[in-house]
Amino acid sequence: MEFLHRYKRNPAAVFGLVLLLAILVLAATAGLLYPQNPLGLAGRPLQWPLSNPDFLFGTDHVGRDIGAQIFHGARVSLFIGLIATVIAIIIGIVVGALSGYYGGLLDDMLMRVTEAFQILPSFLLLLVLVAVFGSELQTVIVAIGVVSWPAAARLTRAEFLSLRNREFVQAGRTLGLGDFSLIFREILPNALPPVIVYASVIMAVAILLESALAFLNLSDPNVPSWGNLIGGGRGVLRVQWYVSAIPGIAILLTVLAVSLVGQGLNDALNPRLKNR
Amino acid sequence: MTIALSIDQLSVALPADADRPYALKQVSLHLNRNEILCVVGESGSGKSMTAGAIMGLLPDRVRAESGRIEFEGRNLLELNDAELRRIRGAKIGMIFQEPMTALNPLITIGDQIGEMFRTHSKLSRRETAERVQALLRDVHIPDPLAAARAYPHELSGGQRQRAMIAMALALEPAILIADEPTTALDVTTQAQILKLIRELQERKGTAVLFITHDFGVVAEIADRVAVMQHGVVVEQGEADTILNRPQHAYTRALISAVPPLTPPPIRQVAEESILAIRQVNKIYRKGGLLGRNKRVTHAVRDVTLDLPKGGTLGIVGESGSGKSTLARCVVRLLDPNSGHIEFDNVDLASLGRRELREHARHVQMVFQDPYGSLNPRRRVGELVAQGPIVHGTPCQQALAEARELFELVGLDPDATRRYPHEFSGGQRQRICLARALALKPRVLVADEPVSALDVSVQAQVLELLARLRQQLGLSLLFITHDLRVAAQICDHIAVMKNGSVVEHGTAAQVFGSPGHEYTRSLLDAVPGRHWTPPSFAGDIERIAA
């Protein structure tokens, strides 16, 4: 309750939440408003938006309804963002927790692996993974998750380092708790808030990464993602710019919404920082 | 006597979302020239807020609402920042509790003291350096030349506090405000600092406003005393009157709660020992690639002690004496390098992890910090129940037992569903006790269990410990730096210094006829040792209620 109250005091965060809810509504109503296959041919190609009442958002270079792709694309983009984030956070938490809790040799090894991932530009690594394993939707999502976890791992590790010698952890140890419950029931809940906030950044980046892949025609062509639409519009960018611009705006607003919500969460979870 | 500073009907308002509307309510105090006025109170009494109001250093969103603070014919509350800056440091000096955080770690001591002259006067470099040397000699820092070139972390806690005092007195201010200046120091260092403050105050005729929570310190240093509670001055007067013939019920309760330095009559304790510590060593090795800069610290050195069955063994010593390390070795939070810890014919020191978890239940620990030792994200009932659950008690039964334990330690059983932050410090320490007792241990290791608590709460927790010891037949290993507390609860006392036990005996022996020189110096350093707090039966209960 108090948390909600603090969250509500931040107008930018509330705006972000409203925006995110609106995108969720797009995703939820896609099946109702556009029951046909969004990748099916709908009409004459390259009709401008608002020129034909049947296609409010116009049609793309092969004659598919842009509106249908935007609505159905919301599902795909949010799905990609969510699952990739969950994958990245889980890997990050496990690596960070083990590394921070046990320290020593294990810490050294895990941190070297983390650094190996960090020094490679994540998009480059993503390209390699997609080139090797193919570009079905599942593969793309897993690949995005796999390139996004190092920062989460470092964050979790830092939290664990400061928490593992607190007295409540020592108290748990004297009670005879095993490592598993010390890590996951005593320390992790206290280490989680900054990681949760960081998850919003990962989610925003995941959506962008997928779009970038699609722009290079490397994402799954069989799903109506916003990125695919932008990639498709690439050839007609100079004249029929709306084909790329409309999904581009959708991506912009989604990333903005996710980031604002993350920032709002951060402020609400650390109320003392906000009062300064 | 002339008045140096007077506070008249000062009220300080807290922000709207605080737990009470006023930090200070119509506080009236005056500070005479050439005297030490002690402001005493428990946490939240507003004593530090008073100092902040004088210096114009109140926290954000806290403001003085009404009243006057008169200094040299001017109301400090009406001055702007520039005018206040000319007074701060030059005419009113201040020393803080923790000299490590109050000094800038990147500037040498000499430069920090010299800064006072650079800011407030036009002395040349050489004159400044000479003045700094004179000041460092005044505060009796060993080797003042080296100290001026040292960075704060290179000095000991006591030397840092001496440097702070030198800085505060650099411009010979008319008033010195000391906010708990000795609380973070060891007892022998505290005695030296108190003596130094007294000496400088007499020599320079400074008026000192001394803020403390410790009546022992008050007895040691105060000319006059003001007692504060919830932002109100409840009583003020001459030190002798307040200490020995207090009128207000709150003052009486506070003073009754101060443990006397004489141990109570000897309890009968079994000869048989339940826990035998034999030749335990704990060594820390630090760094040093290829043996360079290698540091070896002997934290615990050949300690041999016996904890009598049903008795209480107190381990006293200053910081760095190894007493906490020893306690952590006993519960195996640390692994001793050598030696045996025998309990029930089992050597706890040599157990593997799995067997240790089985045996852990018999030796439990209570920690110092009641805020840090409870996981903030779990209900207190679960915290108490988790030990038994790990050891195989069904969940429902463990939670039911937790309710009983809450009753045992004097808490409402229905409070088990709440979270730690909803409890006060004393209540949390009771929860910690309940958690340790949930495993039905036979030995309880208590590491400074009352040091973080206010004096009245401290008395209640000590009483509870004494009662539980009787009721459950517990044996206590009690770690403390506070000799007054040790005198009250311990049957046997071991004095530790630099990792070794220098003296060991019954409480009466150690306090009555200390054998070792170090024990004598510890006892001599206890603040207010010549003052026996008068007892007012009945008042404590009233305050507790």
Side-chain angles (χ1 to χ4, degrees):
Chain A
M1 271 331 288
E2 202 191 327
F3 176 80
L4 269 181
H5 180 72
R6 283 205 300 262
Y7 189 90
K8 273 193 302 192
R9 276 197 313 212
N10 185 345
V14 173
F15 173 72
L17 191 62
V18 171
L19 204 56
L20 191 62
L21 286 176
I23 296 159
L24 283 172
V25 169
L26 285 194
T29 55
L32 287 174
L33 294 177
Y34 298 97
Q36 290 93 3
N37 178 8
L39 294 180
L41 293 186
R44 196 162 45 82
L46 296 175
Q47 300 184 48
W48 278 78
L50 304 175
S51 65
N52 182 342
D54 284 344
F55 308 116
L56 272 181
F57 291 91
T59 56
D60 67 4
H61 59 293
V62 286
R64 296 177 297 199
D65 186 353
I66 293 179
Q69 291 187 68
I70 292 292
F71 274 67
H72 284 272
R75 288 183 173 181
V76 175
S77 285
L78 288 178
F79 181 72
I80 291 171
L82 206 65
I83 303 297
T85 306
V86 168
I87 292 173
I89 289 291
I90 287 178
I91 301 177
I93 282 179
V94 170
V95 170
L98 292 178
S99 187
Y101 182 81
Y102 288 106
L105 187 64
L106 183 69
D107 180 31
D108 282 343
M109 286 180 352
L110 288 175
M111 277 303 109
R112 292 304 88 77
V113 174
T114 312
E115 280 157 11
F117 271 86
Q118 268 191 316
I119 53 165
L120 286 176
S122 55
F123 191 64
L124 214 61
L125 187 58
L126 183 61
L127 284 181
V128 172
L129 288 176
V130 172
V132 172
F133 295 105
S135 56
E136 286 96 56
L137 189 61
Q138 294 92 316
T139 324
V140 169
I141 292 175
V142 172
I144 292 175
V146 164
V147 301
S148 307
W149 61 269
R154 296 198 79 105
L155 199 59
T156 312
R157 174 175 174 268
E159 290 291 311
F160 265 68
L161 283 179
S162 83
L163 287 167
R164 70 170 176 192
N165 284 326
R166 291 283 184 83
E167 286 193 337
F168 70 84
V169 181
Q170 297 198 338
R173 205 166 282 164
T174 59
L175 289 177
L177 299 189
D179 287 347
F180 185 84
S181 40
L182 282 176
I183 292 176
F184 290 103
R185 303 195 57 183
E186 299 293 315
I187 306 181
L188 189 57
N190 290 290
L192 223 41
V195 183
I196 297 283
V197 170
Y198 190 72
S200 69
V201 178
I202 295 185
M203 184 159 169
V205 172
I207 295 173
L208 285 176
L209 281 177
E210 192 276 335
S211 315
L213 273 185
F215 185 77
L216 299 177
N217 285 336
L218 285 170
S219 186
D220 192 341
N222 302 316
V223 290
S225 83
W226 292 339
N228 279 334
L229 192 50
I230 295 181
R234 194 177 50 186
V236 292
L237 194 58
R238 270 190 299 175
V239 185
Q240 280 86 12
W241 50 266
Y242 62 87
V243 179
S244 296
I246 292 173
I249 290 169
I251 290 172
L252 173 79
L253 291 180
T254 309
V255 171
L256 181 69
V258 171
S259 304
L260 286 177
V261 169
Q263 192 59 46
L265 278 181
N266 189 29
D267 292 344
L269 290 169
N270 299 312
R272 253 161 294 160
L273 292 176
K274 191 67 195 152
N275 276 342
R276 278 198 306 220
Chain B
M1 283 231 206
T2 44
I3 290 177
L5 178 103
S6 75
I7 300 176
D8 190 26
Q9 301 281 317
L10 175 68
S11 292
V12 169
L14 287 172
D17 51 353
D19 56 343
R20 54 185 176 152
Y22 288 96
L24 298 177
K25 218 168 179 182
Q26 307 202 319
V27 167
S28 294
L29 283 174
H30 67 275
L31 178 62
N32 295 321
R33 292 230 165 98
N34 200 9
E35 75 160 2
I36 296 181
L37 171 67
C38 273
V39 178
V40 228
E42 298 188 292
S43 48
S45 64
K47 52 192 195 303
S48 290
M49 224 33 125
T50 312
I54 296 172
M55 295 294 269
L57 294 172
L58 288 171
D60 289 344
R61 309 197 300 145
V62 174
R63 63 204 161 76
E65 202 179 54
S66 61
R68 295 172 61 76
I69 301 178
E70 197 137 331
F71 175 68
E72 292 184 342
R74 292 200 285 179
N75 183 0
L76 292 183
L77 295 178
E78 288 167 358
L79 299 186
N80 61 30
D81 266 357
E83 289 168 314
L84 268 176
R85 268 202 298 278
R86 273 198 291 278
I87 289 179
R88 284 182 203 146
K91 293 178 173 168
I92 303 181
M94 185 152 183
I95 46 184
F96 299 89
Q97 173 170 349
E98 184 39 82
M100 191 65 211
T101 51
L103 289 168
N104 186 335
L106 297 178
I107 304 179
T108 60
I109 297 290
D111 278 350
Q112 294 196 51
I113 301 175
E115 196 173 17
M116 299 295 291
F117 297 110
R118 284 196 294 281
T119 314
H120 291 283
S121 71
K122 293 193 170 64
L123 291 183
S124 70
R125 277 190 98 129
R126 165 116 53 96
E127 282 171 306
T128 305
E130 278 168 11
R131 288 283 197 91
V132 169
Q133 281 303 306
L135 281 166
L136 288 174
R137 277 197 301 276
D138 269 359
V139 295
H140 308 305
I141 272 194
D143 196 356
L145 280 171
R149 283 195 303 270
Y151 289 91
H153 71 269
E154 297 174 308
L155 299 181
S156 71
Q159 288 172 352
R160 278 198 290 270
Q161 197 57 290
R162 282 172 195 273
M164 275 295 296
I165 293 173
M167 206 159 129
L169 294 178
L171 299 162
E172 312 231 324
I175 293 174
L176 177 67
I177 298 176
D179 190 356
E180 304 258 13
T182 58
T183 307
L185 303 175
D186 275 329
V187 57
T188 48
T189 322
Q190 162 169 288
Q192 292 162 11
I193 296 288
L194 289 178
K195 204 172 129 221
L196 174 71
I197 291 177
R198 178 49 106 183
E199 179 197 316
L200 293 172
Q201 180 270 328
E202 278 172 359
R203 186 140 50 103
K204 303 187 186 228
T206 320
V208 178
L209 183 71
F210 195 104
I211 292 165
T212 181
H213 69 283
D214 185 343
F215 265 98
V217 170
V218 175
E220 199 70 20
I221 202 170
D223 294 314
R224 284 193 312 122
V225 182
V227 184
M228 292 189 71
Q229 180 194 20
H230 305 324
V232 179
V233 175
V234 295
E235 187 169 4
Q236 54 179 316
E238 297 299 319
D240 177 55
T241 321
I242 301 279
L243 287 171
N244 298 313
R245 292 178 300 283
Q247 297 304 311
H248 195 275
Y250 179 71
T251 318
R252 289 177 166 217
L254 275 186
I255 289 181
S256 312
V258 178
L261 200 51
T262 43
I266 298 174
R267 290 193 318 142
Q268 271 317 313
V269 204
E271 287 288 310
E272 188 190 351
S273 86
I274 187 164
L275 186 79
I277 302 169
R278 293 282 174 268
Q279 305 274 318
V280 167
N281 277 290
K282 176 73 192 170
I283 301 163
Y284 290 109
R285 287 173 213 283
K286 231 188 187 164
L289 191 65
L290 304 175
R292 277 197 311 155
N293 302 326
K294 205 149 120 186
R295 276 234 306 270
V296 177
T297 315
H298 238 109
V300 175
R301 196 190 299 259
D302 280 334
V303 169
T304 296
L305 286 171
D306 281 287
L307 173 59
K309 202 169 195 170
T312 301
L313 171 62
I315 298 181
V316 298
E318 299 188 296
S319 55
S321 64
K323 53 190 196 305
S324 279
T325 308
L326 180 64
R328 282 170 163 67
C329 284
V330 169
V331 293
R332 281 290 300 278
L333 278 174
L334 294 172
D335 298 331
N337 293 76
S338 67
H340 307 284
I341 296 164
E342 277 157 34
F343 171 82
D344 231 2
N345 295 324
V346 180
D347 183 8
L348 295 180
S350 65
L351 289 182
R353 287 178 66 93
R354 186 157 311 202
E355 302 142 333
L356 186 67
R357 240 188 274 160
E358 231 4 81
H359 282 275
R361 56 185 312 160
H362 301 302
V363 183
Q364 281 298 307
M365 181 149 178
V366 178
F367 295 84
Q368 170 173 4
D369 178 8
Y371 294 88
S373 57
L374 294 171
N375 187 345
R377 304 210 175 244
R378 301 187 64 184
R379 294 177 201 280
V380 292
E382 291 170 31
L383 287 173
V384 173
Q386 67 180 356
I389 290 172
V390 170
H391 288 275
T393 312
C395 199
Q396 284 306 318
Q397 191 190 335
L399 284 170
E401 283 173 7
R403 290 174 63 90
E404 288 169 27
L405 281 163
F406 264 55
E407 203 145 8
L408 182 71
V409 296
L411 290 170
D412 179 7
D414 292 328
T416 48
R417 296 195 52 76
R418 294 202 265 158
Y419 285 92
H421 69 262
E422 297 172 62
F423 294 88
S424 70
Q427 287 172 328
R428 288 186 203 204
Q429 205 54 301
R430 286 170 195 263
I431 297 169
C432 293
L433 262 171
R435 173 174 62 185
L437 294 175
L439 287 172
K440 304 190 177 64
R442 286 157 62 200
V443 174
L444 193 63
V445 179
D447 186 5
E448 304 265 13
V450 295
S451 303
L453 305 176
D454 276 328
V455 58
S456 57
V457 183
Q458 182 177 332
Q460 294 163 17
V461 172
L462 282 177
E463 228 164 83
L464 172 68
L465 267 174
R467 194 191 84 209
L468 291 173
R469 175 175 71 178
Q470 202 76 1
Q471 211 170 333
L472 307 174
L474 278 176
S475 313
L476 273 178
L477 189 64
F478 194 97
I479 318 291
T480 183
H481 71 283
D482 187 338
L483 291 170
R484 288 177 181 274
V485 169
Q488 288 321 295
I489 194 153
C490 301
D491 304 309
H492 290 253
I493 286 181
V495 182
M496 281 187 79
K497 186 192 182 194
N498 295 337
S500 310
V501 173
V502 296
E503 180 162 6
H504 177 207
T506 63
Q509 276 166 7
V510 172
F511 281 93
S513 51
H516 196 275
E517 195 186 339
Y518 179 68
T519 316
R520 278 197 293 276
S521 71
L522 275 185
L523 282 168
D524 278 342
V526 173
R529 63 203 164 281
H530 302 302
W531 166 64
T532 313
S535 162
F536 308 93
D539 281 338
I540 297 180
E541 282 74 16
R542 228 180 299 151
I543 282 298

